[in-house]
Amino acid sequence: ELGYSLSDFELWDGWLVLEESSAERIVRDYLVPWFAPSLSRIRTIASGGASKVSTTFEDLNRLFLFTHLTPAYRESSWVLVDGDDAGLKAIEKLREKFPTYGHDRFRALTKPAFEEYYPTIFSEKVRDVLAIGQESDRRAAKRQLLIEVMEWLDYDRHRGVAALSESAIEVIELLRGIEASLKTRGG
């Protein structure tokens, strides 16, 4: 009401909960700075899997309980998960637990794994990694693939921007929607 922005008080303008740390790193380190830079005041959080998304969001909501009491914080949190069955169930659970939040606050991507939004040059490696049956082996392979993708993106920013603008357009559009929402509410 007095014209202050949340960033004037060194507070986050909002929070974005993502399913996994790989998605959180790509969103935070590449997609936000390159495609939605005003979201640099958004705090990204990795929940550690679809089964933990609801708990992470509930903990965040409890931590910032005043978000329901202060207009500046009303619906300043978003959740974005993979479009697989586990992700869709997590979103359904959140929508049931938080019916006053708009449906756009809890979103599942159309692809079943965030890695499918990596630049298309990594498509074959993504398929191979996602096909690994043993969870611990798949997790290690996903971590190694993330490192390779980040090194590739860091090597040539222009090439990275061009590649992600094609492969991750759905995620970019969702981030830009969050940007627009924050601008509308004055964040």
Side-chain angles (χ1 to χ4, degrees):
E1 301 279 343
L2 297 175
Y4 293 107
S5 169
L6 298 177
S7 59
D8 294 335
F9 302 106
E10 298 301 320
L11 301 173
W12 297 105
D13 290 338
W15 297 268
L16 175 60
V17 177
L18 296 143
E19 185 174 329
E20 296 180 354
S21 60
S22 55
E24 193 266 340
R25 287 293 305 270
I26 296 296
V27 167
R28 182 191 70 210
D29 295 349
Y30 302 97
L31 297 180
V32 165
W34 292 353
F35 300 100
S38 68
L39 292 185
S40 65
R41 295 286 318 145
I42 287 282
R43 174 71 166 107
T44 56
I45 302 166
S47 67
S51 64
K52 297 177 183 174
V53 168
S54 182
T55 304
T56 301
F57 186 79
E58 288 174 41
D59 290 345
L60 177 68
N61 200 49
R62 267 193 297 281
L63 181 62
F64 297 105
L65 185 58
F66 60 88
T67 61
H68 292 291
L69 306 175
T70 306
Y73 283 100
R74 183 72 184 131
E75 292 194 18
S76 59
S77 300
W78 291 263
V79 175
L80 183 60
V81 298
D82 293 344
D84 60 0
D85 288 339
L88 295 171
K89 287 176 186 173
I91 294 303
E92 184 179 321
K93 184 177 180 180
L94 283 167
R95 287 180 177 163
E96 287 173 7
K97 284 187 175 188
F98 298 94
T100 61
Y101 275 70
H103 270 47
D104 67 323
R105 302 304 175 182
F106 308 123
R107 303 286 295 267
L109 296 166
T110 58
K111 295 182 181 181
F114 189 85
E115 290 79 9
E116 294 183 48
Y117 295 96
Y118 288 175
T120 56
I121 192 168
F122 294 97
S123 294
E124 188 174 324
K125 286 184 179 184
V126 167
R127 273 191 305 277
D128 293 344
V129 166
L130 296 177
I132 297 172
Q134 180 70 24
E135 187 175 337
S136 60
D137 293 343
R138 185 174 54 248
R139 189 178 311 120
K142 285 172 77 171
R143 174 80 177 126
Q144 181 57 41
L145 178 58
L146 172 65
I147 291 167
E148 289 177 36
V149 169
M150 290 171 41
E151 288 173 351
W152 188 87
L153 292 169
D154 289 339
Y155 184 76
D156 184 341
R157 181 182 189 275
H158 295 292
R159 174 184 70 183
V161 168
L164 287 173
S165 68
E166 291 179 18
S167 65
I169 190 65
E170 178 186 2
V171 182
I172 292 166
E173 288 175 358
L174 289 169
L175 292 172
R176 288 179 174 160
I178 293 171
E179 246 184 343
S181 178
L182 287 172
K183 286 179 184 173
T184 300
R185 74 174 184 103

